[in-house]
Structure formats: C-alpha cells, structure tokens
Amino acid sequence: NAGVMQNPRHLVRRRGQEARLRCSPMKGHSHVYWYRQLPEEGLKFMVYLQKENIIDESGMPKERFSAEFPKEGPSILRIQQVVRGDSAAYFCASSRGDSPLHFGNGTRLTVT
Amino acid sequence: ELKVEQNPLFLSMQEGKNYTIYCNYSTTSDRLYWYRQDPGKSLESLFVLLSNGAVKQEGRLMASLDTKARLSTLHITAAVHDLSATYFCAVEFMNSGYALNFGKGTSLLVTP
C-alpha cells in the first residue's frame, strides 16, 4: 500500500526558471494539500484541492504559484520564475477528507 | 489571527528523564495533531486528539488535550535516544477549511 508519493525528492533551479512538483496521493484519497516548510520552521498551508477543484488556496502566494489536481494523474504545484526565497521543502499530504493527513517525503527545492 | 505556539523550541534531555512539550493555540479547534519529523524526512502522525480531556499514549509518549485552556501537552517518559526528533503540534481550526496550522516545532535531543 504505497503512501503519498512526491517527486522529485530534490530539485535545483536557477532564478527565473520554473519548478514543477508532483504528488500522487494515497490510494483511495481524493483530497490533496500542499505545505511549505522553511528551515527551522513549521509547515505553512498553501492550498487544498480535490479532483479538478481548488477548495482553499488562501496560503498560496498571489503570483507565480499555481496548483492543480487533474482528473487523471498527480497533483502539480508549479512555481514560475523562481526566486531564492522559494527555496524550501514542499510537502504534499492526502486524505479521504474526514481522516488524518498522510504526508509525502517532500520535495526540497533549491534556487541558485 | 490563528496561532499555534509550542514551547520549548529546543530541548536537550538525558536518557531516562521525563519532560513535557506544550502547545497553545489561539481559538476554538476541531482537532489537534502531534507529528514527529526526523531530519530530512516526512512527518509521521503520532496522535489525533478530538475532544476535551482526550488522552492518548503510545510507548513513552502521552498526549493530552484541554480545549478550555486551548492547550495540548506531549509528555515524554524515561526518554531514550530514539526519541530524538522534531515534534510538531498542528491544529485544525473551525471555519478554516481543512487546513492544519502548525507550531514551529520542538527539536528534541536525547543524550546518554
């Protein structure tokens, strides 16, 4: 029973490039959440999605960041024109909606 | 403003000793979670506390919830080195959708 799968585990991008982070939820889970963790900090909520719908994006920066969870395939967190301040660990979590979140291993983004 | 505050943020303790980590939150909550994170790893769910007076125990860890005081504690009994990790509390606030609000974490180091 595979858990939440995130890839890549590590991603290096130069300033101005695009970063795409992928997340496949646990089997049977249709709710996906993205969180960002800065060094020495807790996780900050970014966005909550269900299949083909964004439910809550109150934690997403207004520019350069977008997320989707298509009918088929993984959820994607996309960061355009990355800047150094985007360097962080990005965690995806999934649930059935009424159950605790299960977290993936994260994608560690480094912007050089 | 929704706030989750943990203390202490750093804790060094000897094996065999007992200690308590505190988690305060700012407003009415639906659920409170405790997670463990090892360096470079994802978050592992430890406890979910759903109601006032809830107490859960797993091995040397015991978590409790006082919703009137808006306080949760994570008590460590007879610490062992394997408990060294960062512990996060996370609160699901009413009317915030399904977003979890995390504390900054408590970095625990258990020494011989």
Side-chain angles (χ1 to χ4, degrees), chain A residues 64-80:
Chain A
R64 303 187 298 108
F65 284 72
S66 62
E68 62 176 8
F69 188 18
K71 187 176 179 181
E72 301 291 336
S75 175
I76 306 287
L77 178 67
R78 182 180 176 208
I79 312 171
Q80 294 179 290

Side-chain angles (χ1 to χ4, degrees), chain A residues 9 31 33 35 37 40-45 48 50 55-56 91 97-106 108, chain B residues 10 31 33 35 37-45 48 88 92 96-105 107:
Chain A
R9 289 295 305 276
H31 300 245
Y33 310 78
Y35 286 81
Q37 184 179 33
E40 310 290 329
E41 296 281 328
L43 279 72
K44 301 291 186 187
F45 168 75
Y48 160 41
Q50 295 180 24
I55 307 302
D56 181 354
F91 286 94
D98 61 350
S99 58
L101 303 188
H102 293 260
F103 283 83
N105 285 329
R108 275 132 188 101
Chain B
F10 298 95
R31 303 181 191 185
Y33 301 78
Y35 286 90
Q37 186 181 35
D38 291 289
K41 303 290 187 181
S42 185
L43 281 80
E44 174 191 353
S45 177
V48 182
F88 291 97
E92 186 178 306
S96 71
Y98 295 91
L100 288 183
N101 289 263
F102 281 80
K104 288 191 174 183
S107 293

Side-chain angles (χ1 to χ4, degrees), chain A residues 1-3 25-29 96:
Chain A
N1 183 18
M26 283 182 69
K27 189 175 180 180
H29 288 189
R96 291 196 192 93

Side-chain angles (χ1 to χ4, degrees), chain B residues 48-97:
Chain B
V48 182
L49 302 170
L50 300 176
S51 59
N52 188 41
V55 177
K56 291 196 175 181
Q57 182 162 5
E58 182 73 33
R60 300 174 188 274
L61 301 178
M62 183 174 70
S64 66
L65 178 62
D66 180 343
T67 57
K68 293 180 181 176
R70 297 176 185 164
L71 171 68
S72 179
T73 61
L74 181 66
H75 187 73
I76 303 156
T77 301
V80 293
H81 180 69
D82 285 352
L83 290 179
S84 297
T86 299
Y87 293 85
F88 291 97
C89 69
V91 180
E92 186 178 306
F93 288 107
M94 293 171 66
N95 303 320
S96 71

Side-chain angles (χ1 to χ4, degrees), chain A residues 8-105:
Chain A
R9 289 295 305 276
H10 300 275
L11 181 61
V12 179
R13 286 286 179 266
R14 292 181 180 167
R15 279 183 296 174
Q17 291 185 319
E18 178 180 286
R20 281 187 178 235
L21 289 65
R22 286 175 289 277
C23 169
S24 296
M26 283 182 69
K27 189 175 180 180
H29 288 189
S30 59
H31 300 245
V32 166
Y33 310 78
W34 285 93
Y35 286 81
R36 176 164 62 178
Q37 184 179 33
L38 295 170
E40 310 290 329
E41 296 281 328
L43 279 72
K44 301 291 186 187
F45 168 75
M46 298 181 75
V47 62
Y48 160 41
L49 310 103
Q50 295 180 24
K51 283 286 186 182
E52 300 184 276
N53 289 308
I54 296 174
I55 307 302
D56 181 354
E57 56 181 349
S58 58
M60 286 274 273
K62 295 287 184 256
E63 297 177 349
R64 303 187 298 108
F65 284 72
S66 62
E68 62 176 8
F69 188 18
K71 187 176 179 181
E72 301 291 336
S75 175
I76 306 287
L77 178 67
R78 182 180 176 208
I79 312 171
Q80 294 179 290
Q81 299 176 319
V82 296
V83 300
R84 287 229 173 100
D86 296 333
S87 296
Y90 292 83
F91 286 94
C92 170
S94 73
S95 79
R96 291 196 192 93
D98 61 350
S99 58
L101 303 188
H102 293 260
F103 283 83
N105 285 329

